[in-house]
């Protein structure tokens, strides 16, 4: 039986390697119906070696290409991405289960934004170093140098966006990349490689390998990889970082969180509820920066919950290609089982109050015209209240549409409780008092913070976690620094070598 999408193989030397040896194969699944949509051929270690060699071969010429010329090529790639936005968004919807209303307006668009940003940055002098005059006859200058062949390991929740977040600064800085997409959402990688090639990126500069954790592990430890950029959960990230650091490789780790969404006492109720819903139910809760610990003043809690229940009606699951749909299934059966288990734990073990949702099959599925959806990984958006800090659902990253409401009585208290976690990816506050907002944000231990909004991460904004949530940043000017190594040179022009070994 033919599947909706063509098989996926490794991509290197500027082409799909359909004849290269494969260690095994698997199928990627449409989460909305649990049906296979493409065969994926895992890349063998021999083929991974070939992909790395292809990148090594391309590196000298690509790194020597003037930054402005690299910028022109990347701008062409961004233009192709925008022209093919809907086509690529449909692939993302099939692979991730996210509604087309989201993938068509966020995933490809924001990835193209980042590509344009780094093209502009290097084209406008972003690779320039610094100079400092030490004294009249001596000065220091620095240069930014490409690293070499880098590994990008993507995540399943924002496949093409994350691929671009990694490859855009990597390629702009003159590096080459071997990219491994998540085995759960691998369809985007080959189209992206083909778009780069069409734009003029030389063969070997952007390469793709396919497979699971074993492929990622081999790539991470490969002796010819200079840097590893990984996005994923904390436990896996610690292993990847440890492996890479042991080989003295550069690393960027964008890991998970259990972020605090703080509603301050003077906040507008409607805005606070809207923000909390965006922080919990966008992308079916499968966002690493989600603010799943929602802290609400005790005096406001009843009214907050009332408005939240009213607005929960605006969450619309259904046909993923209907523009009105704004809520999809979870990405896989394994993840579905995990989220349902967490919801059950919240009810049975944590004894939290279930305000809405729960582990049962969503009622709308029974009447949906597409009966295949009944086999998909659909869950109800779920809200627990009367939560306490020691509950498992409050402490653990669920990565699903599960909100925990926690009451508090003072600002000092909420700051202390918000920081009582070993992760620190994101945090946010909602308030009408901007002076108070800045004071609270300054005390929150997180690398990404918002005031009166949630989730927006523009290309200009450097993002990265504190504590166990990561190492380094992506995007913004600082994001380019993660893909270069600096060289400092001191020049003495006095006509004599300074020495302590002169004749007395």
């Amino acid at each position: 039986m033919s599947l909706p999408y063509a098989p996926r193989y490794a991509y290197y030397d500027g082409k799909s390697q359909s004849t290269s040896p494969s260690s095994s194969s698997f199928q990627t699944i449409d989460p909305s119906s649990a049906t296979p949509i493409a065969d994926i051929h895992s890349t063998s270690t021999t083929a991974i070696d070939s992909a790395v060699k292809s990148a090594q071969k391309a590196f000298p010429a690509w790194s020597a290409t003037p930054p402005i010329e690299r910028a022109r090529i990347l701008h062409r790639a961004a233009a192709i991405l925008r022209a093919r936005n809907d086509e690529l968004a449909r692939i993302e919807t099939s692979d991730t289960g996210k509604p087309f209303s989201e993938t068509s307006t966020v995933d490809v668009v924001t990835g193209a934004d980042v590509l344009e940003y780094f093209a502009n940055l290097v084209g406008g002098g972003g690779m320039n170093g610094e100079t400092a005059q030490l004294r009249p006859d001596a000065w220091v200058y620095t240069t930014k140098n490409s690293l070499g062949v880098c590994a990008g390991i993507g995540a399943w929740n924002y496949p093409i966006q994350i691929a671009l977040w990694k490859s855009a600064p990597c390629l702009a800085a003159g590096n080459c990349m071997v990219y491994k997409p998540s085995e759960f959402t691998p369809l985007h990688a080959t189209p992206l490689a083909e778009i780069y090639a069409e734009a003029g990126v030389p063969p070997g500069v952007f390469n793709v390998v396919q497979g699971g954790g074993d492929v990622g592990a081999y790539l991470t430890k490969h002796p010819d990889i200079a840097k590893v950029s990984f996005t994923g959960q904390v436990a896996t990230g610690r292993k990847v970082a440890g492996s890479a650091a042991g080989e003295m490789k550069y690393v960027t780790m964008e890991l998970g969180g259990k972020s605090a969404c703080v509603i301050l006492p003077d906040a507008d109720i409607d805005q606070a509820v809207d923000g909390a819903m965006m922080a919990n139910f966008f992308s079916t809760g499968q966002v690493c920066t989600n603010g799943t610990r929602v802290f609400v003043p005790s005096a406001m809690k009843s009214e907050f919950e009332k408005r939240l229940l009213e607005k929960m009606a605006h969450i619309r699951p259904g046909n993923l290609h209907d523009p009105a749909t704004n809520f999809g299934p979870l990405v896989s059966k394994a993840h579905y089982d995990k989220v349902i288990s967490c919801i059950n734990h919240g009810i049975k073990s944590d004894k939290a109050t279930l305000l809405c949702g729960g582990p049962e099959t969503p009622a709308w599925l029974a009447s949906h015209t597409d009966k295949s959806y009944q086999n998909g990984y659909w869950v109800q958006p779920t809200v627990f209240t009367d939560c306490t800090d020691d509950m498992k659902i409050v402490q653990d990253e669920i990565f699903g549409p599960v909100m925990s409401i926690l009451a508090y009585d003072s600002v000092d208290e909420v700051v202390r409780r918000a920081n009582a976690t070993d992760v620190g990816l994101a945090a946010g506050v909602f308030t009408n008092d901007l002076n108070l907002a800045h004071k609270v944000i300054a005390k929150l231990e997180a690398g990404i913070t918002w005031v009166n909004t949630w989730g927006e991460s523009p290309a200009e904004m450097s993002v990265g976690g504190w504590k166990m949530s990561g190492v380094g940043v992506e995007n913004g000017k600082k994001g380019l620094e993660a893909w270069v190594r600096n060289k400092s040179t001191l020049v003495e022009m006095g006509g004599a070598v300074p020495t302590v070994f002169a004749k007395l």
Side-chain angles (χ1 to χ4, degrees):
M1 182 182 71
S2 62
L3 298 177
Y5 294 97
R8 298 296 197 258
Y9 304 89
Y11 185 105
Y12 54 87
D13 288 339
K15 60 184 178 180
S16 179
Q17 300 291 331
S18 58
T19 60
S20 67
S22 173
S23 58
S24 62
S25 65
F26 58 95
Q27 293 182 319
T28 187
I29 305 298
D30 180 343
S32 68
S33 59
T35 56
I37 52 177
D39 291 317
I40 313 297
H41 295 264
S42 296
T43 307
S44 67
T45 55
T46 300
I48 296 172
D49 290 339
S50 296
V52 173
K53 288 178 181 176
S54 178
Q56 285 182 299
K57 182 180 178 181
F59 174 70
W62 181 246
S63 59
T65 300
I68 187 63
E69 180 56 30
R70 293 200 299 264
R72 293 187 185 111
I73 293 171
L74 297 182
H75 271 299
R76 287 197 290 269
I80 297 170
L81 284 165
R82 296 195 188 284
R84 298 183 185 173
N85 179 81
D86 288 1
E87 168 197 339
L88 295 167
R90 280 190 285 270
I91 293 174
E92 294 293 84
T93 289
S94 297
D95 217 13
T96 65
K98 293 196 287 187
F100 182 74
S101 64
E102 179 181 334
T103 59
S104 62
T105 58
V106 175
D107 295 47
V108 186
V109 172
T110 55
D113 286 347
V114 168
L115 191 55
E116 286 180 334
Y117 175 82
F118 283 108
N120 287 332
L121 187 58
V122 300
M127 292 292 287
N128 294 344
E130 300 174 342
T131 62
Q133 188 164 10
L134 300 179
R135 48 189 180 269
D137 54 2
W139 57 292
V140 169
Y141 69 89
T142 66
T143 57
K144 297 178 183 179
N145 300 268
S146 307
L147 294 170
V149 180
C150 303
I153 301 178
W156 49 254
N157 57 334
Y158 280 86
I160 197 167
Q161 183 204 68
I162 290 173
L164 285 159
W165 277 27
K166 296 185 185 308
S167 62
C170 176
L171 272 57
N175 302 297
C176 297
M177 173 166 278
V178 179
Y179 170 70
K180 189 197 89 67
S182 166
E183 64 271 32
F184 292 105
T185 54
L187 290 182
H188 66 286
T190 300
L192 177 58
E194 292 170 344
I195 286 170
Y196 274 138
E198 182 180 342
V201 172
V205 172
F206 182 78
N207 312 276
V208 176
V209 295
Q210 299 278 5
D214 57 328
V215 173
Y218 185 83
L219 186 60
T220 297
K221 288 189 69 68
H222 199 287
D224 295 319
I225 292 293
K227 170 180 174 159
V228 178
S229 177
F230 172 85
T231 299
Q233 62 182 5
V234 173
T236 307
R238 293 180 69 175
K239 294 177 183 177
V240 173
S243 175
E247 304 293 329
M248 299 305 291
K249 302 180 190 298
Y250 291 77
V251 295
T252 301
M253 297 283 129
E254 200 278 285
L255 308 179
K258 190 68 180 177
S259 302
C261 175
V262 179
I263 314 304
L264 291 172
D266 71 319
D268 177 270
I269 286 282
D270 281 310
Q271 292 182 12
V273 170
D274 287 341
M277 290 180 68
M278 284 296 292
N280 280 268
F281 304 126
F282 189 72
S283 277
T284 318
Q286 299 171 122
V287 185
C288 55
T289 54
N290 266 3
T292 52
R293 293 184 297 147
V294 180
F295 289 92
V296 181
S298 298
M300 187 190 290
K301 180 170 172 287
S302 177
E303 182 63 20
F304 180 90
E305 291 174 355
K306 176 184 175 182
R307 291 296 291 130
L308 176 63
L309 286 174
E310 292 170 355
K311 293 196 174 195
M312 292 292 286
H314 302 321
I315 298 177
R316 296 180 295 274
N319 185 327
L320 295 181
H321 295 279
D322 184 338
T325 299
N326 60 13
F327 188 84
L330 295 171
V331 75
S332 68
K333 178 63 163 62
H335 192 53
Y336 171 87
D337 290 342
K338 174 196 171 183
V339 173
I340 293 297
S341 175
C342 290
I343 293 173
N344 280 321
H345 192 281
I347 296 170
K348 298 174 183 178
S349 300
D350 287 334
K351 306 294 185 183
T353 301
L354 183 65
L355 191 65
C356 64
E360 296 80 16
T361 300
W364 66 269
L365 277 175
S367 59
H368 195 264
T369 54
D370 188 342
K371 297 306 178 184
S372 69
Y373 274 19
Q374 295 179 15
N375 299 318
Y377 311 130
W378 297 88
V379 295
Q380 298 185 71
T382 297
V383 178
F384 287 104
T385 190
D386 302 323
C387 297
T388 56
D389 296 337
D390 59 346
M391 291 179 177
K392 183 179 176 68
I393 57 170
V394 175
Q395 293 184 342
D396 291 358
E397 184 179 35
I398 299 172
F399 219 69
V402 183
M403 179 192 296
S404 297
I405 298 175
L406 302 104
Y408 73 92
D409 295 314
S410 74
V411 173
D412 287 342
E413 173 200 343
V414 75
V415 169
R416 173 181 54 79
R417 291 170 61 192
N419 289 337
T421 173
D422 61 358
V423 288
L425 185 58
V429 300
F430 288 85
T431 177
N432 286 319
D433 184 343
L434 286 181
N435 286 332
L436 178 61
H438 291 305
K439 291 177 182 177
V440 173
I441 285 291
K443 295 177 181 178
L444 293 176
E445 297 169 354
I448 309 165
T449 54
W450 293 284
V451 174
N452 293 333
T453 187
W454 198 280
E456 185 178 3
S457 186
E460 297 84 356
M461 182 179 179
S462 294
V463 293
W466 287 12
K467 303 180 182 178
M468 298 303 295
S469 288
V471 176
V473 300
E474 295 183 311
N475 295 346
K477 290 183 179 179
K478 290 292 185 183
L480 185 64
E481 296 296 322
W483 295 93
V484 298
R485 50 187 170 188
N486 286 273
K487 179 180 291 185
S488 296
T489 303
L490 192 155
V491 181
E492 171 60 54
M493 302 181 297
V497 178
T499 177
V500 299
F501 304 111
K503 183 178 179 180
L504 294 178

